[in-house]
Amino acid sequence: MAEIILESIVKRYDKLVAVKNLNLDIKDKEFLVLLGPSGCGKTTTLRCISGLEIPDEGRIMLDGRNVTKRRASQRDIAFVFQLYALYPILTVYENIAFPLKAQKYDKKRIKEEVAKVAEILQITHILNRKPKELSGGDMQRVALGRAMVRRPKAFLLDEPIGTLDAKFREEMRVELKRLHIDIGATTVYVTHDQVEAMSMGDRIAIMNQGVLQQVGTPYEVYSKPNNLFVANFIGSPGMNFINCVPKKKGGKLSLALEKDDILIPLNKALASIVENEHDSKKLVLGIRPEDVSFSTKKSDEGLDVTVYVSEETGSYNIIDVNLGSQKVKVRTLPTVKPAIGDPAYIELDMNRVSIFDKESGGSIMK
Ligand code: ATP
């Protein structure tokens, strides 16, 4: 098992800096997901961990040993590509035995090692089958088994299920997560799919343009995003952003919407954060659609809106409303079906909001 520490990693391709000063501690037995849009440096980071790329700066520690300059073959790390790509003419046994055969292990040893791995993965009963006779989940187990027989310290997976159709991907996600729990090996998993990241990762490291934006549990990155990028990238639909500035009226601090005569009153905790900001400081109030409530009846706290459009998903509806000149998405029960243009009211759960500095994009929450 392995702890992987990345210290100030920089990787350049000519003038392009693909990974910029990355610091990341991946704990022993952890399932860490590297998440971010295409080109953000996820694969480059994974290749640096594996030894397929050597970073230009920084250190990579594997279980306390500096492996920065070691070749991939000297690192005891398995880089697993597509999990369903097995040799079709070989049986499950032969597929798993393949790397050991290549290393010229004797037959008895190969039999023992394959049996051990098959027992952990619970695939002993299918060792004589060919890949075409396997379910998707079993195929994944076999592919991992092929990597496991080499007894790697960690598994690196680069979009292993990315090209599968949505339904199959869902099944594979569950299987992979369960497998990780059963095997308990340190795993670094690359994806650009935030749903996959949220559902599988113990922690998620979110990257953008080569820079690590935030690392945290799915709950942390969802409810306490470090910046606007993370707030927008995580969640579907993403967080609502309302442009505003601080405004004091009658001794009470509120947020005034940019361009509209609308005030959002702040509770004590938020007021103590915002009062440190300059009067004209441009801020962004972030709130998730499920933290906004929708009503056609006026209430004390309700903000006047009009319905712009509603989208049905079956299990819930997303209603887009106009709050002054800005748009807000509200998540409601599927039974809420207002007509376009209807006047309505929304309430924001101020215990669940984030506030960002518009210019830097960083959160000002403590
Ligand atoms: P994707 O999901 O599209 O694979 P990614 O987040 O994994 O994206 P990387 O593949 O790490 O991103 O690429 C990061 C940046 O480095 C990109 O701009 C890419 O074009 C560039 N890059 C990656 N590999 C090379 C290479 N061998 N030579 C030159 N540029 C490269």
Side-chain angles (χ1 to χ4, degrees):
M1 299 305 138
E3 179 192 37
I4 303 165
I5 300 178
L6 308 183
E7 291 176 2
S8 309
I9 297 298
V10 176
K11 179 67 195 172
R12 300 185 193 91
Y13 295 110
D14 296 322
K15 283 193 184 136
L16 181 115
V17 190
V19 178
K20 297 176 190 163
N21 196 30
L22 175 64
N23 289 290
L24 190 58
D25 289 7
I26 303 161
K27 297 175 207 151
D28 185 26
K29 300 190 171 70
E30 183 170 35
F31 195 118
L32 182 109
V33 179
L34 284 175
L35 173 71
S38 182
C40 73
K42 311 179 290 290
T43 297
T44 305
T45 303
L46 206 67
R47 288 173 65 84
C48 286
I49 298 173
S50 73
L52 293 172
E53 297 280 1
I54 304 295
D56 296 296
E57 291 175 31
R59 284 204 312 177
I60 298 177
M61 307 292 290
L62 176 61
D63 260 352
R65 281 178 25 232
N66 185 347
V67 296
T68 319
K69 299 261 158 62
R70 294 219 175 155
R71 277 195 233 142
S73 56
Q74 300 170 318
R75 289 199 190 183
D76 290 344
I77 288 180
F79 201 129
V80 187
F81 295 93
Q82 291 166 332
L83 278 174
Y84 35 89
L86 301 173
Y87 301 114
I89 55 158
L90 302 184
T91 62
V92 167
Y93 180 92
E94 290 162 339
N95 263 285
I96 297 175
F98 197 86
L100 301 182
K101 255 189 174 165
Q103 285 179 34
K104 310 245 182 300
Y105 278 47
D106 67 57
K107 267 194 175 159
K108 185 166 164 272
R109 176 89 189 276
I110 292 178
K111 209 171 165 187
E112 283 166 9
E113 296 296 328
V114 174
K116 258 188 242 165
V117 165
E119 199 183 321
I120 297 169
L121 294 171
Q122 298 173 19
I123 50 173
T124 307
H125 60 292
I126 56 167
L127 284 174
N128 293 325
R129 289 195 201 156
K130 293 270 177 67
K132 67 172 188 299
E133 299 167 281
L134 303 179
S135 68
D138 283 342
M139 264 198 250
Q140 255 184 0
R141 282 169 190 264
V142 178
L144 273 180
R146 199 168 54 185
M148 276 169 69
V149 278
R150 290 175 37 216
R151 303 198 187 186
K153 292 197 162 181
F155 290 99
L156 308 180
L157 306 167
D158 191 356
E159 307 245 10
I161 56 177
T163 55
L164 303 178
D165 70 57
K167 194 82 202 136
F168 198 26
R169 244 184 15 227
E170 245 173 56
E171 279 172 36
M172 297 294 232
R173 265 194 344 237
V174 174
E175 289 294 333
L176 257 180
K177 177 142 192 176
R178 180 57 212 240
L179 258 181
H180 175 255
I181 293 166
D182 291 346
I183 301 168
T186 311
T187 303
V188 188
Y189 186 102
V190 160
T191 181
H192 63 273
D193 181 339
Q194 55 103 13
V195 177
E196 209 166 288
M198 294 293 279
S199 63
M200 295 177 80
D202 293 324
R203 285 189 309 154
I204 305 174
I206 299 153
M207 296 181 72
N208 188 32
Q209 298 184 340
V211 179
L212 180 66
Q213 305 289 314
Q214 184 167 2
V215 53
T217 63
Y219 178 77
E220 283 164 352
V221 297
Y222 186 79
S223 36
K224 295 186 176 73
N226 270 355
N227 57 35
L228 289 169
F229 177 82
V230 174
N232 188 44
F233 198 76
I234 300 280
S236 178
M239 199 177 245
N240 289 298
F241 296 135
I242 303 171
N243 295 311
C244 47
V245 289
K247 182 156 189 170
K248 216 164 202 167
K249 202 174 173 187
K252 282 203 107 184
L253 192 58
S254 300
L255 292 177
L257 264 69
E258 264 182 14
K259 300 183 194 150
D260 301 301
D261 189 18
I262 298 174
L263 287 183
I264 299 174
L266 294 174
N267 61 27
K268 230 173 163 184
L270 291 173
S272 74
I273 294 169
V274 173
E275 73 186 358
N276 301 321
E277 304 295 331
H278 196 266
D279 280 2
S280 56
K281 178 86 169 200
K282 290 193 171 171
L283 298 174
V284 178
L285 178 78
I287 186 158
R288 298 262 172 217
E290 64 271 26
D291 297 325
V292 185
S293 57
F294 176 91
S295 173
T296 48
K297 292 195 187 82
K298 175 91 178 139
S299 63
D300 287 348
E301 311 271 291
L303 299 166
D304 288 36
V305 294
T306 51
V307 175
Y308 180 68
V309 79
S310 18
E311 302 162 74
E312 293 187 23
T313 69
S315 52
Y316 59 86
N317 290 348
I318 296 289
I319 302 175
D320 282 63
V321 296
N322 289 320
L323 174 66
S325 53
Q326 302 192 43
K327 291 252 172 347
V328 175
K329 285 184 189 292
V330 189
R331 184 173 160 147
T332 68
L333 291 171
T335 45
V336 178
K337 292 180 179 175
I340 287 174
D342 269 1
Y345 306 91
I346 58 167
E347 275 186 35
L348 315 182
D349 181 346
M350 297 306 277
N351 295 315
R352 308 268 312 154
V353 302
S354 294
I355 302 177
F356 305 92
D357 174 336
K358 188 173 179 181
E359 200 184 319
S360 69
S363 168
I364 65 166
M365 310 294 287
K366 285 165 195 123

